[in-house]
Amino acid sequence: MKLSKGNSEAAPRTVDDRLFLQSVERAMRALEAFGQQARPLSLAELAAATGMDRSAAQRIAHTLQALGYLERAGGGTGGQGLVPGKRLLDRSFDYLRMNPLVERATPILQELRRTTQERVDLSLFDGTSVIYAVRLQSKRETFFATLVGRRMPTFGSSGGRAMLAALPAAEAEAILEQSDRRRMTPKTVTDLPGLRAKIAEAQRDGFALSLEEALLGEVVLAAAVLDAQRRPVAAIHVAGSLSEWDVEAFRRRIGPLAMEAARALSQAAPEGLTPR
Amino acid sequence: MKLSKGNSEAAPRTVDDRLFLQSVERAMRALEAFGQQARPLSLAELAAATGMDRSAAQRIAHTLQALGYLERAGGGTGGQGLVPGKRLLDRSFDYLRMNPLVERATPILQELRRTTQERVDLSLFDGTSVIYAVRLQSKRETFFATLVGRRMPTFGSSGGRAMLAALPAAEAEAILEQSDRRRMTPKTVTDLPGLRAKIAEAQRDGFALSLEEALLGEVVLAAAVLDAQRRPVAAIHVAGSLSEWDVEAFRRRIGPLAMEAARALSQAAPEGLTPR
DNA sequence: TATGCTTGTATCGTTCAACGATACGAAAAA
DNA sequence: TTTTTCGTATCGTTGAACGATACAAGCATA
């Protein structure tokens, strides 16, 4: 049924949970439907995509529309399907504003962006996927498909690998195995031995480097940000173009900078407290 | 019958609506509570902030947590309140991805950013406020408090005024009057005559210019983006620093560029079809 | 023109999902 | 210590939500 996406829920939903609100789940599923079908959906399509009947879809769409979380596609005039509503941006804003990591990251990322003159990203760890939370594009950036909120598979993202390298081996292995290891470019490493080697490399170097694995012509280097328990929560990425960089030079020049930025962002563990 | 005891919403909802799902509204209100209180909320606080009892808050928090739209503040370990969940970023991503305006805007904004070397924003019209949907920061940007999803009052944003200038006078006037015209800086224009003059100026020039009205030391120029019905739907902003720009030079240099970009992004009305 | 299939919208009995009160142990605060 | 507040769990009641159904408008196809 549900393929392993970036699910990071604490408790797997037990079947009959007296505290679980069915209609709320339905509402969120309705919003999530647009993650799959990136086009305006009619009520019937929405019902089909979420597995509910027309009536339920009608009630939910009506409610979400009244609240501003769904909008008519035509812009209000012609009723030609539903699309996500602007209100969703507010909720995302709240998330970013409340995340202390994002807040603290901003000046550090800017400084890194200034010294490297390259694109700098902050991604958040979320199980089998990572989410881009901040992007500071480089001045000569031409490619811009990626937006805040975009998910990337953990296994295939340099930041993801940097974070896997900071996890206990068993956990990292579990994530690799749960992942849908799909190729993004011909150079994406997808086999388990290869990935384990990349992670070991990241453990040795203190940063992960991926070469054209997400986008051809691009080299990305990332270092993990740790919380007070020394667990990875985020990663700082620096992306450069192969038309301007030699890989070894990139590694030597950017690696220390990214690691220093990640360390500055990591929460220092209190003395005497060792991670269990 | 429980009539709204603590209905503190601003949204005018028609009262007894057989299709309106109470629990969905409660769930969204729970998420919205963090827009007001930007800190982790306990169940009791959440209940108080949304006007529901403890039990309702418990059920809703439990459900939203299971779905990933709420998270424990401590990072899962210590149970010290709730914060918005990462999943919210996905929904926001869906919105931006599905918005054809944002998609088409990206290359145009990049080009504008490249030629002006200044910060370029795209904001979306939403009644008395505008929402920033895209931000391309300038290379020397130091100030970064603003994130995607941030709302600004329409009356006090240069983009908002550019859009008001493109609206029928009655509608623009209605928005001005409904607005909470609060000062953001000492230079914010908040009186109706002054605002009408600024809008008239925008109609004359084809762009709006605001001087230190949102942030001291900053000059912002914006042009409205129109849809096929010639109604404003968005605005393109260019922001410069007064330490580097003379206002008149900024107007002369940036004005035409912003207008051209906005025109390129506007949907040309088909020939022979006049807006009704 | 008729016809068939959408679309969005509205109505209506039935019933179970959601309701609100309440209780409990742990942790934090006083 | 006591008191308060935290998160969590239970339970009988009931009305909010359910799903079936109907209808008009729009738009193709026949």
mmCIF file with all atom_site columns, all heavy atoms in Angstrom, chain B residues 156 158 161 183-189 198 209-220 240-243 247:
data_model
loop_
_atom_site.group_PDB
_atom_site.id
_atom_site.type_symbol
_atom_site.label_atom_id
_atom_site.label_alt_id
_atom_site.label_comp_id
_atom_site.label_asym_id
_atom_site.label_entity_id
_atom_site.label_seq_id
_atom_site.pdbx_PDB_ins_code
_atom_site.Cartn_x
_atom_site.Cartn_y
_atom_site.Cartn_z
_atom_site.occupancy
_atom_site.B_iso_or_equiv
_atom_site.pdbx_formal_charge
_atom_site.auth_seq_id
_atom_site.auth_comp_id
_atom_site.auth_asym_id
_atom_site.auth_atom_id
_atom_site.pdbx_PDB_model_num
ATOM 1   N N   . GLY B 1 156 ? 1.076  47.966 2.655  1.00 0.00 ? 156 GLY B N   1
ATOM 2   C CA  . GLY B 1 156 ? 2.386  48.505 2.968  1.00 0.00 ? 156 GLY B CA  1
ATOM 3   C C   . GLY B 1 156 ? 3.514  47.871 2.184  1.00 0.00 ? 156 GLY B C   1
ATOM 4   O O   . GLY B 1 156 ? 4.670  48.195 2.400  1.00 0.00 ? 156 GLY B O   1
ATOM 5   N N   . SER B 1 158 ? 5.341  47.188 -1.470 1.00 0.00 ? 158 SER B N   1
ATOM 6   C CA  . SER B 1 158 ? 5.362  47.812 -2.793 1.00 0.00 ? 158 SER B CA  1
ATOM 7   C C   . SER B 1 158 ? 4.632  46.919 -3.796 1.00 0.00 ? 158 SER B C   1
ATOM 8   O O   . SER B 1 158 ? 3.871  47.411 -4.629 1.00 0.00 ? 158 SER B O   1
ATOM 9   C CB  . SER B 1 158 ? 6.799  48.075 -3.229 1.00 0.00 ? 158 SER B CB  1
ATOM 10  O OG  . SER B 1 158 ? 7.503  46.853 -3.331 1.00 0.00 ? 158 SER B OG  1
ATOM 11  N N   . ARG B 1 161 ? 0.945  47.301 -3.362 1.00 0.00 ? 161 ARG B N   1
ATOM 12  C CA  . ARG B 1 161 ? 0.423  48.545 -3.946 1.00 0.00 ? 161 ARG B CA  1
ATOM 13  C C   . ARG B 1 161 ? 0.374  48.476 -5.460 1.00 0.00 ? 161 ARG B C   1
ATOM 14  O O   . ARG B 1 161 ? -0.538 48.998 -6.091 1.00 0.00 ? 161 ARG B O   1
ATOM 15  C CB  . ARG B 1 161 ? 1.271  49.725 -3.493 1.00 0.00 ? 161 ARG B CB  1
ATOM 16  C CG  . ARG B 1 161 ? 1.053  50.035 -2.038 1.00 0.00 ? 161 ARG B CG  1
ATOM 17  C CD  . ARG B 1 161 ? 1.871  51.241 -1.634 1.00 0.00 ? 161 ARG B CD  1
ATOM 18  N NE  . ARG B 1 161 ? 1.917  51.349 -0.178 1.00 0.00 ? 161 ARG B NE  1
ATOM 19  C CZ  . ARG B 1 161 ? 2.868  51.998 0.475  1.00 0.00 ? 161 ARG B CZ  1
ATOM 20  N NH1 . ARG B 1 161 ? 3.847  52.591 -0.208 1.00 0.00 ? 161 ARG B NH1 1
ATOM 21  N NH2 . ARG B 1 161 ? 2.830  52.065 1.791  1.00 0.00 ? 161 ARG B NH2 1
ATOM 22  N N   . ARG B 1 183 ? 2.099  50.478 11.357 1.00 0.00 ? 183 ARG B N   1
ATOM 23  C CA  . ARG B 1 183 ? 3.429  50.928 10.936 1.00 0.00 ? 183 ARG B CA  1
ATOM 24  C C   . ARG B 1 183 ? 4.421  49.782 11.042 1.00 0.00 ? 183 ARG B C   1
ATOM 25  O O   . ARG B 1 183 ? 4.432  49.068 12.031 1.00 0.00 ? 183 ARG B O   1
ATOM 26  C CB  . ARG B 1 183 ? 3.885  52.037 11.868 1.00 0.00 ? 183 ARG B CB  1
ATOM 27  C CG  . ARG B 1 183 ? 3.667  53.364 11.312 1.00 0.00 ? 183 ARG B CG  1
ATOM 28  C CD  . ARG B 1 183 ? 4.478  54.476 11.903 1.00 0.00 ? 183 ARG B CD  1
ATOM 29  N NE  . ARG B 1 183 ? 4.191  55.607 11.039 1.00 0.00 ? 183 ARG B NE  1
ATOM 30  C CZ  . ARG B 1 183 ? 3.044  56.252 11.079 1.00 0.00 ? 183 ARG B CZ  1
ATOM 31  N NH1 . ARG B 1 183 ? 2.133  55.924 11.955 1.00 0.00 ? 183 ARG B NH1 1
ATOM 32  N NH2 . ARG B 1 183 ? 2.813  57.235 10.228 1.00 0.00 ? 183 ARG B NH2 1
ATOM 33  N N   . MET B 1 184 ? 5.252  49.625 10.037 1.00 0.00 ? 184 MET B N   1
ATOM 34  C CA  . MET B 1 184 ? 6.343  48.650 10.151 1.00 0.00 ? 184 MET B CA  1
ATOM 35  C C   . MET B 1 184 ? 7.655  49.374 10.450 1.00 0.00 ? 184 MET B C   1
ATOM 36  O O   . MET B 1 184 ? 8.497  48.882 11.173 1.00 0.00 ? 184 MET B O   1
ATOM 37  C CB  . MET B 1 184 ? 6.437  47.832 8.881  1.00 0.00 ? 184 MET B CB  1
ATOM 38  C CG  . MET B 1 184 ? 5.272  46.844 8.753  1.00 0.00 ? 184 MET B CG  1
ATOM 39  S SD  . MET B 1 184 ? 5.248  46.000 7.166  1.00 0.00 ? 184 MET B SD  1
ATOM 40  C CE  . MET B 1 184 ? 4.799  47.331 6.067  1.00 0.00 ? 184 MET B CE  1
ATOM 41  N N   . THR B 1 185 ? 7.809  50.535 9.860  1.00 0.00 ? 185 THR B N   1
ATOM 42  C CA  . THR B 1 185 ? 8.926  51.416 10.188 1.00 0.00 ? 185 THR B CA  1
ATOM 43  C C   . THR B 1 185 ? 8.326  52.802 10.380 1.00 0.00 ? 185 THR B C   1
ATOM 44  O O   . THR B 1 185 ? 7.165  53.030 10.044 1.00 0.00 ? 185 THR B O   1
ATOM 45  C CB  . THR B 1 185 ? 9.971  51.474 9.044  1.00 0.00 ? 185 THR B CB  1
ATOM 46  O OG1 . THR B 1 185 ? 9.449  52.299 7.993  1.00 0.00 ? 185 THR B OG1 1
ATOM 47  C CG2 . THR B 1 185 ? 10.295 50.096 8.517  1.00 0.00 ? 185 THR B CG2 1
ATOM 48  N N   . PRO B 1 186 ? 9.111  53.732 10.893 1.00 0.00 ? 186 PRO B N   1
ATOM 49  C CA  . PRO B 1 186 ? 8.556  55.087 11.041 1.00 0.00 ? 186 PRO B CA  1
ATOM 50  C C   . PRO B 1 186 ? 8.122  55.697 9.717  1.00 0.00 ? 186 PRO B C   1
ATOM 51  O O   . PRO B 1 186 ? 7.338  56.633 9.692  1.00 0.00 ? 186 PRO B O   1
ATOM 52  C CB  . PRO B 1 186 ? 9.742  55.873 11.638 1.00 0.00 ? 186 PRO B CB  1
ATOM 53  C CG  . PRO B 1 186 ? 10.582 54.843 12.316 1.00 0.00 ? 186 PRO B CG  1
ATOM 54  C CD  . PRO B 1 186 ? 10.445 53.594 11.497 1.00 0.00 ? 186 PRO B CD  1
ATOM 55  N N   . LYS B 1 187 ? 8.609  55.132 8.625  1.00 0.00 ? 187 LYS B N   1
ATOM 56  C CA  . LYS B 1 187 ? 8.302  55.732 7.330  1.00 0.00 ? 187 LYS B CA  1
ATOM 57  C C   . LYS B 1 187 ? 7.129  55.076 6.614  1.00 0.00 ? 187 LYS B C   1
ATOM 58  O O   . LYS B 1 187 ? 6.783  55.461 5.496  1.00 0.00 ? 187 LYS B O   1
ATOM 59  C CB  . LYS B 1 187 ? 9.545  55.659 6.432  1.00 0.00 ? 187 LYS B CB  1
ATOM 60  C CG  . LYS B 1 187 ? 10.735 56.409 7.035  1.00 0.00 ? 187 LYS B CG  1
ATOM 61  C CD  . LYS B 1 187 ? 11.578 57.032 5.950  1.00 0.00 ? 187 LYS B CD  1
ATOM 62  C CE  . LYS B 1 187 ? 12.766 57.757 6.551  1.00 0.00 ? 187 LYS B CE  1
ATOM 63  N NZ  . LYS B 1 187 ? 13.577 58.403 5.519  1.00 0.00 ? 187 LYS B NZ  1
ATOM 64  N N   . THR B 1 188 ? 6.555  54.052 7.214  1.00 0.00 ? 188 THR B N   1
ATOM 65  C CA  . THR B 1 188 ? 5.418  53.398 6.569  1.00 0.00 ? 188 THR B CA  1
ATOM 66  C C   . THR B 1 188 ? 4.261  54.373 6.399  1.00 0.00 ? 188 THR B C   1
ATOM 67  O O   . THR B 1 188 ? 3.851  55.019 7.362  1.00 0.00 ? 188 THR B O   1
ATOM 68  C CB  . THR B 1 188 ? 4.927  52.207 7.418  1.00 0.00 ? 188 THR B CB  1
ATOM 69  O OG1 . THR B 1 188 ? 6.037  51.403 7.786  1.00 0.00 ? 188 THR B OG1 1
ATOM 70  C CG2 . THR B 1 188 ? 3.925  51.382 6.647  1.00 0.00 ? 188 THR B CG2 1
ATOM 71  N N   . VAL B 1 189 ? 3.762  54.438 5.181  1.00 0.00 ? 189 VAL B N   1
ATOM 72  C CA  . VAL B 1 189 ? 2.589  55.275 4.932  1.00 0.00 ? 189 VAL B CA  1
ATOM 73  C C   . VAL B 1 189 ? 1.349  54.491 5.369  1.00 0.00 ? 189 VAL B C   1
ATOM 74  O O   . VAL B 1 189 ? 1.136  53.356 4.924  1.00 0.00 ? 189 VAL B O   1
ATOM 75  C CB  . VAL B 1 189 ? 2.471  55.633 3.440  1.00 0.00 ? 189 VAL B CB  1
ATOM 76  C CG1 . VAL B 1 189 ? 1.188  56.403 3.169  1.00 0.00 ? 189 VAL B CG1 1
ATOM 77  C CG2 . VAL B 1 189 ? 3.687  56.439 3.006  1.00 0.00 ? 189 VAL B CG2 1
ATOM 78  N N   . LYS B 1 198 ? -0.124 57.016 -3.273 1.00 0.00 ? 198 LYS B N   1
ATOM 79  C CA  . LYS B 1 198 ? 0.900  56.062 -3.693 1.00 0.00 ? 198 LYS B CA  1
ATOM 80  C C   . LYS B 1 198 ? 0.366  55.134 -4.787 1.00 0.00 ? 198 LYS B C   1
ATOM 81  O O   . LYS B 1 198 ? 1.079  54.770 -5.734 1.00 0.00 ? 198 LYS B O   1
ATOM 82  C CB  . LYS B 1 198 ? 1.366  55.224 -2.500 1.00 0.00 ? 198 LYS B CB  1
ATOM 83  C CG  . LYS B 1 198 ? 2.102  55.994 -1.412 1.00 0.00 ? 198 LYS B CG  1
ATOM 84  C CD  . LYS B 1 198 ? 3.423  56.540 -1.887 1.00 0.00 ? 198 LYS B CD  1
ATOM 85  C CE  . LYS B 1 198 ? 4.505  55.475 -1.982 1.00 0.00 ? 198 LYS B CE  1
ATOM 86  N NZ  . LYS B 1 198 ? 5.792  56.063 -2.442 1.00 0.00 ? 198 LYS B NZ  1
ATOM 87  N N   . LEU B 1 209 ? 6.810  52.104 -5.810 1.00 0.00 ? 209 LEU B N   1
ATOM 88  C CA  . LEU B 1 209 ? 8.098  52.250 -5.145 1.00 0.00 ? 209 LEU B CA  1
ATOM 89  C C   . LEU B 1 209 ? 7.852  52.587 -3.687 1.00 0.00 ? 209 LEU B C   1
ATOM 90  O O   . LEU B 1 209 ? 7.065  53.464 -3.356 1.00 0.00 ? 209 LEU B O   1
ATOM 91  C CB  . LEU B 1 209 ? 8.909  53.357 -5.825 1.00 0.00 ? 209 LEU B CB  1
ATOM 92  C CG  . LEU B 1 209 ? 10.362 53.459 -5.349 1.00 0.00 ? 209 LEU B CG  1
ATOM 93  C CD1 . LEU B 1 209 ? 11.295 53.413 -6.540 1.00 0.00 ? 209 LEU B CD1 1
ATOM 94  C CD2 . LEU B 1 209 ? 10.583 54.717 -4.539 1.00 0.00 ? 209 LEU B CD2 1
ATOM 95  N N   . SER B 1 210 ? 8.495  51.850 -2.823 1.00 0.00 ? 210 SER B N   1
ATOM 96  C CA  . SER B 1 210 ? 8.359  52.171 -1.402 1.00 0.00 ? 210 SER B CA  1
ATOM 97  C C   . SER B 1 210 ? 9.739  52.352 -0.795 1.00 0.00 ? 210 SER B C   1
ATOM 98  O O   . SER B 1 210 ? 10.666 51.590 -1.068 1.00 0.00 ? 210 SER B O   1
ATOM 99  C CB  . SER B 1 210 ? 7.572  51.096 -0.666 1.00 0.00 ? 210 SER B CB  1
ATOM 100 O OG  . SER B 1 210 ? 8.400  50.021 -0.322 1.00 0.00 ? 210 SER B OG  1
ATOM 101 N N   . LEU B 1 211 ? 9.834  53.386 0.011  1.00 0.00 ? 211 LEU B N   1
ATOM 102 C CA  . LEU B 1 211 ? 11.132 53.831 0.504  1.00 0.00 ? 211 LEU B CA  1
ATOM 103 C C   . LEU B 1 211 ? 11.193 53.627 2.010  1.00 0.00 ? 211 LEU B C   1
ATOM 104 O O   . LEU B 1 211 ? 10.526 54.339 2.764  1.00 0.00 ? 211 LEU B O   1
ATOM 105 C CB  . LEU B 1 211 ? 11.278 55.324 0.152  1.00 0.00 ? 211 LEU B CB  1
ATOM 106 C CG  . LEU B 1 211 ? 12.686 55.917 0.157  1.00 0.00 ? 211 LEU B CG  1
ATOM 107 C CD1 . LEU B 1 211 ? 13.585 55.132 -0.774 1.00 0.00 ? 211 LEU B CD1 1
ATOM 108 C CD2 . LEU B 1 211 ? 12.595 57.378 -0.251 1.00 0.00 ? 211 LEU B CD2 1
ATOM 109 N N   . GLU B 1 212 ? 11.929 52.631 2.424  1.00 0.00 ? 212 GLU B N   1
ATOM 110 C CA  . GLU B 1 212 ? 12.128 52.364 3.852  1.00 0.00 ? 212 GLU B CA  1
ATOM 111 C C   . GLU B 1 212 ? 10.804 52.121 4.586  1.00 0.00 ? 212 GLU B C   1
ATOM 112 O O   . GLU B 1 212 ? 10.723 52.354 5.772  1.00 0.00 ? 212 GLU B O   1
ATOM 113 C CB  . GLU B 1 212 ? 12.871 53.523 4.521  1.00 0.00 ? 212 GLU B CB  1
ATOM 114 C CG  . GLU B 1 212 ? 14.219 53.802 3.899  1.00 0.00 ? 212 GLU B CG  1
ATOM 115 C CD  . GLU B 1 212 ? 15.044 54.786 4.743  1.00 0.00 ? 212 GLU B CD  1
ATOM 116 O OE1 . GLU B 1 212 ? 14.790 56.004 4.654  1.00 0.00 ? 212 GLU B OE1 1
ATOM 117 O OE2 . GLU B 1 212 ? 15.923 54.295 5.467  1.00 0.00 ? 212 GLU B OE2 1
ATOM 118 N N   . GLU B 1 213 ? 9.807  51.640 3.891  1.00 0.00 ? 213 GLU B N   1
ATOM 119 C CA  . GLU B 1 213 ? 8.515  51.467 4.550  1.00 0.00 ? 213 GLU B CA  1
ATOM 120 C C   . GLU B 1 213 ? 8.407  50.114 5.231  1.00 0.00 ? 213 GLU B C   1
ATOM 121 O O   . GLU B 1 213 ? 7.603  49.917 6.132  1.00 0.00 ? 213 GLU B O   1
ATOM 122 C CB  . GLU B 1 213 ? 7.382  51.647 3.543  1.00 0.00 ? 213 GLU B CB  1
ATOM 123 C CG  . GLU B 1 213 ? 7.267  53.085 3.065  1.00 0.00 ? 213 GLU B CG  1
ATOM 124 C CD  . GLU B 1 213 ? 5.962  53.341 2.359  1.00 0.00 ? 213 GLU B CD  1
ATOM 125 O OE1 . GLU B 1 213 ? 4.912  52.965 2.895  1.00 0.00 ? 213 GLU B OE1 1
ATOM 126 O OE2 . GLU B 1 213 ? 5.997  53.898 1.244  1.00 0.00 ? 213 GLU B OE2 1
ATOM 127 N N   . ALA B 1 214 ? 9.198  49.163 4.758  1.00 0.00 ? 214 ALA B N   1
ATOM 128 C CA  . ALA B 1 214 ? 9.177  47.849 5.410  1.00 0.00 ? 214 ALA B CA  1
ATOM 129 C C   . ALA B 1 214 ? 10.456 47.630 6.219  1.00 0.00 ? 214 ALA B C   1
ATOM 130 O O   . ALA B 1 214 ? 10.439 46.965 7.245  1.00 0.00 ? 214 ALA B O   1
ATOM 131 C CB  . ALA B 1 214 ? 9.022  46.737 4.380  1.00 0.00 ? 214 ALA B CB  1
ATOM 132 N N   . LEU B 1 215 ? 11.523 48.199 5.737  1.00 0.00 ? 215 LEU B N   1
ATOM 133 C CA  . LEU B 1 215 ? 12.815 48.002 6.391  1.00 0.00 ? 215 LEU B CA  1
ATOM 134 C C   . LEU B 1 215 ? 13.644 49.258 6.153  1.00 0.00 ? 215 LEU B C   1
ATOM 135 O O   . LEU B 1 215 ? 13.792 49.690 5.010  1.00 0.00 ? 215 LEU B O   1
ATOM 136 C CB  . LEU B 1 215 ? 13.510 46.784 5.768  1.00 0.00 ? 215 LEU B CB  1
ATOM 137 C CG  . LEU B 1 215 ? 14.830 46.356 6.398  1.00 0.00 ? 215 LEU B CG  1
ATOM 138 C CD1 . LEU B 1 215 ? 14.596 45.845 7.809  1.00 0.00 ? 215 LEU B CD1 1
ATOM 139 C CD2 . LEU B 1 215 ? 15.464 45.255 5.551  1.00 0.00 ? 215 LEU B CD2 1
ATOM 140 N N   . LEU B 1 216 ? 14.176 49.809 7.209  1.00 0.00 ? 216 LEU B N   1
ATOM 141 C CA  . LEU B 1 216 ? 14.956 51.038 7.062  1.00 0.00 ? 216 LEU B CA  1
ATOM 142 C C   . LEU B 1 216 ? 16.200 50.754 6.228  1.00 0.00 ? 216 LEU B C   1
ATOM 143 O O   . LEU B 1 216 ? 16.847 49.723 6.374  1.00 0.00 ? 216 LEU B O   1
ATOM 144 C CB  . LEU B 1 216 ? 15.325 51.590 8.438  1.00 0.00 ? 216 LEU B CB  1
ATOM 145 C CG  . LEU B 1 216 ? 14.136 52.157 9.218  1.00 0.00 ? 216 LEU B CG  1
ATOM 146 C CD1 . LEU B 1 216 ? 14.568 52.630 10.604 1.00 0.00 ? 216 LEU B CD1 1
ATOM 147 C CD2 . LEU B 1 216 ? 13.492 53.312 8.449  1.00 0.00 ? 216 LEU B CD2 1
ATOM 148 N N   . GLY B 1 217 ? 16.500 51.686 5.355  1.00 0.00 ? 217 GLY B N   1
ATOM 149 C CA  . GLY B 1 217 ? 17.671 51.535 4.509  1.00 0.00 ? 217 GLY B CA  1
ATOM 150 C C   . GLY B 1 217 ? 17.408 50.779 3.227  1.00 0.00 ? 217 GLY B C   1
ATOM 151 O O   . GLY B 1 217 ? 18.312 50.566 2.428  1.00 0.00 ? 217 GLY B O   1
ATOM 152 N N   . GLU B 1 218 ? 16.152 50.394 3.025  1.00 0.00 ? 218 GLU B N   1
ATOM 153 C CA  . GLU B 1 218 ? 15.841 49.570 1.850  1.00 0.00 ? 218 GLU B CA  1
ATOM 154 C C   . GLU B 1 218 ? 14.837 50.286 0.954  1.00 0.00 ? 218 GLU B C   1
ATOM 155 O O   . GLU B 1 218 ? 13.846 50.841 1.433  1.00 0.00 ? 218 GLU B O   1
ATOM 156 C CB  . GLU B 1 218 ? 15.253 48.231 2.317  1.00 0.00 ? 218 GLU B CB  1
ATOM 157 C CG  . GLU B 1 218 ? 15.061 47.235 1.194  1.00 0.00 ? 218 GLU B CG  1
ATOM 158 C CD  . GLU B 1 218 ? 14.375 45.967 1.695  1.00 0.00 ? 218 GLU B CD  1
ATOM 159 O OE1 . GLU B 1 218 ? 13.186 46.034 2.078  1.00 0.00 ? 218 GLU B OE1 1
ATOM 160 O OE2 . GLU B 1 218 ? 15.005 44.916 1.688  1.00 0.00 ? 218 GLU B OE2 1
ATOM 161 N N   . VAL B 1 219 ? 15.107 50.218 -0.307 1.00 0.00 ? 219 VAL B N   1
ATOM 162 C CA  . VAL B 1 219 ? 14.144 50.730 -1.281 1.00 0.00 ? 219 VAL B CA  1
ATOM 163 C C   . VAL B 1 219 ? 13.656 49.547 -2.113 1.00 0.00 ? 219 VAL B C   1
ATOM 164 O O   . VAL B 1 219 ? 14.447 48.704 -2.523 1.00 0.00 ? 219 VAL B O   1
ATOM 165 C CB  . VAL B 1 219 ? 14.770 51.819 -2.178 1.00 0.00 ? 219 VAL B CB  1
ATOM 166 C CG1 . VAL B 1 219 ? 16.042 51.323 -2.852 1.00 0.00 ? 219 VAL B CG1 1
ATOM 167 C CG2 . VAL B 1 219 ? 13.779 52.306 -3.222 1.00 0.00 ? 219 VAL B CG2 1
ATOM 168 N N   . VAL B 1 220 ? 12.338 49.472 -2.288 1.00 0.00 ? 220 VAL B N   1
ATOM 169 C CA  . VAL B 1 220 ? 11.759 48.358 -3.032 1.00 0.00 ? 220 VAL B CA  1
ATOM 170 C C   . VAL B 1 220 ? 10.878 48.898 -4.149 1.00 0.00 ? 220 VAL B C   1
ATOM 171 O O   . VAL B 1 220 ? 10.100 49.826 -3.952 1.00 0.00 ? 220 VAL B O   1
ATOM 172 C CB  . VAL B 1 220 ? 10.918 47.438 -2.129 1.00 0.00 ? 220 VAL B CB  1
ATOM 173 C CG1 . VAL B 1 220 ? 10.460 46.218 -2.909 1.00 0.00 ? 220 VAL B CG1 1
ATOM 174 C CG2 . VAL B 1 220 ? 11.699 47.016 -0.896 1.00 0.00 ? 220 VAL B CG2 1
ATOM 175 N N   . GLY B 1 240 ? 16.648 47.131 -3.153 1.00 0.00 ? 240 GLY B N   1
ATOM 176 C CA  . GLY B 1 240 ? 18.021 47.634 -3.135 1.00 0.00 ? 240 GLY B CA  1
ATOM 177 C C   . GLY B 1 240 ? 18.330 48.333 -1.826 1.00 0.00 ? 240 GLY B C   1
ATOM 178 O O   . GLY B 1 240 ? 17.432 48.665 -1.054 1.00 0.00 ? 240 GLY B O   1
ATOM 179 N N   . SER B 1 241 ? 19.599 48.543 -1.603 1.00 0.00 ? 241 SER B N   1
ATOM 180 C CA  . SER B 1 241 ? 20.023 49.212 -0.378 1.00 0.00 ? 241 SER B CA  1
ATOM 181 C C   . SER B 1 241 ? 20.281 50.687 -0.663 1.00 0.00 ? 241 SER B C   1
ATOM 182 O O   . SER B 1 241 ? 20.881 51.047 -1.683 1.00 0.00 ? 241 SER B O   1
ATOM 183 C CB  . SER B 1 241 ? 21.292 48.555 0.151  1.00 0.00 ? 241 SER B CB  1
ATOM 184 O OG  . SER B 1 241 ? 21.876 49.397 1.122  1.00 0.00 ? 241 SER B OG  1
ATOM 185 N N   . LEU B 1 242 ? 19.824 51.521 0.247  1.00 0.00 ? 242 LEU B N   1
ATOM 186 C CA  . LEU B 1 242 ? 20.031 52.960 0.063  1.00 0.00 ? 242 LEU B CA  1
ATOM 187 C C   . LEU B 1 242 ? 21.493 53.350 0.210  1.00 0.00 ? 242 LEU B C   1
ATOM 188 O O   . LEU B 1 242 ? 21.884 54.449 -0.175 1.00 0.00 ? 242 LEU B O   1
ATOM 189 C CB  . LEU B 1 242 ? 19.175 53.746 1.057  1.00 0.00 ? 242 LEU B CB  1
ATOM 190 C CG  . LEU B 1 242 ? 17.685 53.746 0.713  1.00 0.00 ? 242 LEU B CG  1
ATOM 191 C CD1 . LEU B 1 242 ? 16.891 54.479 1.775  1.00 0.00 ? 242 LEU B CD1 1
ATOM 192 C CD2 . LEU B 1 242 ? 17.465 54.393 -0.649 1.00 0.00 ? 242 LEU B CD2 1
ATOM 193 N N   . SER B 1 243 ? 22.280 52.432 0.774  1.00 0.00 ? 243 SER B N   1
ATOM 194 C CA  . SER B 1 243 ? 23.698 52.757 0.874  1.00 0.00 ? 243 SER B CA  1
ATOM 195 C C   . SER B 1 243 ? 24.380 52.626 -0.485 1.00 0.00 ? 243 SER B C   1
ATOM 196 O O   . SER B 1 243 ? 25.508 53.063 -0.655 1.00 0.00 ? 243 SER B O   1
ATOM 197 C CB  . SER B 1 243 ? 24.370 51.824 1.880  1.00 0.00 ? 243 SER B CB  1
ATOM 198 O OG  . SER B 1 243 ? 24.364 50.498 1.378  1.00 0.00 ? 243 SER B OG  1
ATOM 199 N N   . VAL B 1 247 ? 17.728 57.102 -4.969 1.00 0.00 ? 247 VAL B N   1
ATOM 200 C CA  . VAL B 1 247 ? 16.352 56.660 -5.244 1.00 0.00 ? 247 VAL B CA  1
ATOM 201 C C   . VAL B 1 247 ? 15.958 56.885 -6.699 1.00 0.00 ? 247 VAL B C   1
ATOM 202 O O   . VAL B 1 247 ? 15.378 56.013 -7.347 1.00 0.00 ? 247 VAL B O   1
ATOM 203 C CB  . VAL B 1 247 ? 15.360 57.385 -4.308 1.00 0.00 ? 247 VAL B CB  1
ATOM 204 C CG1 . VAL B 1 247 ? 13.942 57.013 -4.684 1.00 0.00 ? 247 VAL B CG1 1
ATOM 205 C CG2 . VAL B 1 247 ? 15.628 57.005 -2.867 1.00 0.00 ? 247 VAL B CG2 1
#
